[in-house]
Amino acid sequence: ASEGKDGASAAENTPPRVPQGKLGERSSVFYSAGQFFFEYLVVVSLKKMPDGRYEPKITYQFPKRENLLKGQKEEEERLLQAIPLFCFPDGNNWAPITEFTSETFSFVLTNVDGSRKIGYCRRLLPSGRGVRLPEVFCIISCLGCFGLFSKILDEVEKRRQISMAVIYPFMQGLRESPFPAPGKTVTIKSFIPESGTELIELTRPVDAHLEHVEFQALLQRLSPHLILHIFASAMLERRLIFLAEELSVLSQCIHAVAALLYPFTWAHTYIPVVPECLLDTVCCPTPFMVGIQMRHLERVLEQPMEEALIVDLCEGKIIRAVGDEEEILPGKLQNEMLISLNRHNNNNNVHTSEQVNALVSEAFVHFFVRLVGHYASHIKWGRSGSGSFQERAFCKAITSKSCRRLVKKFVKTNMFSLFIEEAEKSRIPQEGNG
């Protein structure tokens, strides 16, 4: 976790990096199978402070780590300090309550060495009578698979309503199981008092690069036209702010926007839910993609920030724009994408979220193939095997003026540079050349 302006740990982070191959080619392995499902399960509870306010604190950590080297201990302490902040990003304006609908959301933390960890959270009200405070069960993992961890959190919540003691044997069984390959299933045995032994099947989606995404969440809240304006802004690495009250809506929608850029990767500040104490993130002069709870809208608008696209996910509208969003994408390609995005409403054969994910992803991958798919033929290979990208010739090869205008801006972005750096290293030897 990197340091925020006020010294608090902040998630200046990026989504998990996608291994690069040919443009439009599906990555068959997003995360290698056989890894641990998770590093930690932590329980974050609200503790009453002397001034009467409640502050989030870690009250349980599983497994407890011992025999760590000094550097590892420091890194773990930084991680554990950041977690409560992101489990209760809406500040400490809490009071004991009798009813609360549980919610699921996630955050991403980037370590100093660039490695990433994802926090999968379930905020719930423990069973009982009378007023009580919500708590968060947070699973910290290096693996990006929201659907799978959501199912795991369902099991955690079910056990929490019986007893905390029933959760840990289940998590131990999960920890001892290997993370399945795409399309494969792992079965966990779990004993629940009065119910006996249960077999829980966890299946990983076939398409690994879409397993952390729920495009339906975005399509339900924004028009296809507006989604394209947001995509165009993200493609040019501008500042994007998303507003909603529910943490689950913010995290789902921001993960979906970042996934529209595949096979490129957002390489700047990326905080799906900004904690209240880090709201001045919106003053950063560098690109960012952040989610902020609607209750903080006035405070955000008062900040001395530079040009940004501000999107209201509740009303499905833009609150503030740069003004040129309509002109960024070439007209012909934009119309093709609008037709593809509208198809999810009209095609009665598309039912499941996996089908919607595939349909949407294909439209955006196809856009990149049409726009920059010729990049490989403009990498000049030296005798040593290292490649050198010929940017000028690459841009010159584009016949459409509107496409060339966009590509000239896109090649200057961090995400394109990172993609090309990987491509320059990854020459596949030709047959007969060894």
Side-chain angles (χ1 to χ4, degrees):
S2 54
E3 294 293 297
K5 288 182 186 173
D6 59 355
S9 287
E12 183 174 35
N13 45 50
T14 54
R17 181 81 174 269
V18 179
Q20 307 294 5
K22 291 176 187 170
L23 190 61
E25 181 183 88
R26 289 298 158 93
S27 169
S28 58
V29 180
F30 196 11
Y31 292 100
S32 58
Q35 292 188 51
F36 277 137
F37 262 89
F38 69 98
E39 289 191 17
Y40 296 108
L41 166 73
V42 297
V43 181
V44 178
S45 306
L46 291 163
K47 295 291 178 188
K48 197 165 190 175
M49 307 309 287
D51 61 2
R53 296 189 307 163
Y54 290 93
E55 246 183 48
K57 302 280 184 187
I58 291 177
T59 51
Y60 189 87
Q61 174 191 327
F62 170 83
K64 285 185 166 58
R65 292 286 176 92
E66 293 168 2
N67 305 321
L68 289 176
L69 299 171
K70 188 185 175 190
Q72 291 173 314
K73 271 187 179 168
E74 287 170 1
E75 185 181 318
E76 183 181 325
E77 279 169 17
R78 276 199 301 270
L79 173 72
L80 294 174
Q81 281 170 9
I83 290 169
L85 193 64
F86 290 94
C87 287
F88 283 93
D90 32 11
N92 43 28
N93 304 318
W94 285 93
I97 47 179
T98 55
E99 286 183 17
F100 180 77
T101 304
S102 64
E103 56 185 345
T104 309
F105 56 98
S106 64
F107 58 85
V108 186
L109 294 174
T110 301
N111 288 319
V112 177
D113 65 358
S115 62
R116 298 177 184 94
K117 299 181 193 296
I118 302 171
Y120 299 94
C121 301
R122 177 68 55 89
R123 189 147 70 179
L124 54 87
L125 198 62
S127 60
R129 292 180 181 175
V131 293
R132 51 210 186 279
L133 290 159
E135 60 192 10
V136 174
F137 284 80
C138 177
I139 300 171
I140 300 293
S141 176
C142 298
L143 309 168
C145 189
F146 193 85
L148 207 62
F149 281 94
S150 192
K151 192 171 179 184
I152 292 166
L153 288 167
D154 289 343
E155 296 296 331
V156 168
E157 182 170 3
K158 186 165 79 176
R159 285 158 178 73
R160 176 64 184 102
Q161 304 311 333
I162 301 166
S163 162
M164 288 284 275
V166 190
I167 295 171
Y168 307 118
F170 167 68
M171 295 305 289
Q172 184 62 42
L174 186 68
R175 193 167 166 74
E176 290 166 0
S177 302
F179 191 63
K184 301 298 181 186
T185 299
V186 67
T187 304
I188 314 289
K189 282 185 179 180
S190 179
F191 177 79
I192 296 184
E194 297 180 16
S195 301
T197 301
E198 283 189 2
L199 295 176
I200 297 142
E201 291 192 342
L202 299 168
T203 303
R204 195 170 165 203
V206 175
D207 202 340
H209 98 266
L210 293 174
E211 61 189 344
H212 199 59
V213 185
E214 191 63 71
F215 285 128
Q216 195 70 59
L218 203 60
L219 292 162
Q220 284 168 350
R221 286 168 182 86
L222 302 174
S223 69
H225 217 84
L226 190 47
I227 290 171
L228 290 185
H229 285 186
I230 293 164
F231 166 71
S233 299
M235 194 181 157
L236 295 184
E237 295 185 333
R238 293 180 171 180
R239 288 171 285 275
L240 292 98
I241 299 170
F242 296 88
L243 296 158
E245 197 51 47
E246 300 93 340
L247 306 183
S248 55
V249 171
L250 284 172
S251 65
Q252 277 185 343
C253 288
I254 292 184
H255 285 313
V257 169
L260 295 177
L261 298 168
Y262 178 84
F264 301 94
T265 305
W266 180 262
H268 298 279
T269 300
Y270 175 83
I271 314 178
V273 184
V274 176
E276 188 177 5
C277 63
L278 297 177
L279 283 178
D280 64 353
T281 300
V282 300
C283 300
C284 289
T286 53
F288 56 74
M289 194 184 294
V290 300
I292 291 171
Q293 286 185 290
M294 188 60 79
R295 68 183 77 172
H296 303 309
L297 174 58
E298 280 188 31
R299 274 180 64 185
V300 168
L301 294 177
E302 287 167 3
Q303 300 284 341
M305 60 178 152
E306 301 195 24
E307 280 188 327
L309 183 71
I310 305 179
V311 182
D312 181 344
L313 293 168
C314 303
E315 297 287 331
K317 65 181 184 183
I318 288 177
I319 291 177
R320 187 181 287 179
V322 174
D324 64 348
E325 287 80 5
E326 184 69 50
E327 288 87 48
I328 296 172
L329 301 179
K332 190 180 175 187
L333 292 181
Q334 185 165 243
N335 288 335
E336 285 176 8
M337 290 166 81
L338 278 172
I339 291 165
S340 295
L341 289 178
N342 280 317
R343 204 181 301 151
H344 89 276
N345 288 326
N346 307 328
N347 190 341
N348 294 326
N349 296 323
V350 177
H351 293 300
T352 67
S353 62
E354 286 82 7
Q355 287 171 314
V356 173
N357 282 350
L359 186 79
V360 173
S361 181
E362 279 164 21
F364 285 88
V365 168
H366 184 63
F367 167 83
F368 281 123
V369 170
R370 292 278 301 276
L371 194 71
V372 294
H374 60 297
Y375 78 94
S377 57
H378 292 279
I379 295 176
K380 192 175 180 180
W381 297 100
R383 288 186 178 180
S384 63
S386 62
S388 174
F389 179 61
Q390 310 296 298
E391 184 184 305
R392 201 169 164 197
F394 165 76
C395 292
K396 216 171 172 183
I398 301 166
T399 52
S400 161
K401 283 184 182 177
S402 57
C403 287
R404 197 184 313 132
R405 192 166 54 241
L406 173 58
V407 169
K408 279 184 174 178
K409 293 177 184 174
F410 185 53
V411 295
K412 303 300 181 190
T413 63
N414 247 1
M415 72 178 91
F416 187 81
S417 298
L418 287 170
F419 182 90
I420 288 298
E421 275 174 33
E422 292 290 327
E424 287 172 334
K425 294 177 201 164
S426 60
R427 187 180 193 184
I428 300 164
Q430 300 298 313
E431 279 185 43
N433 292 346

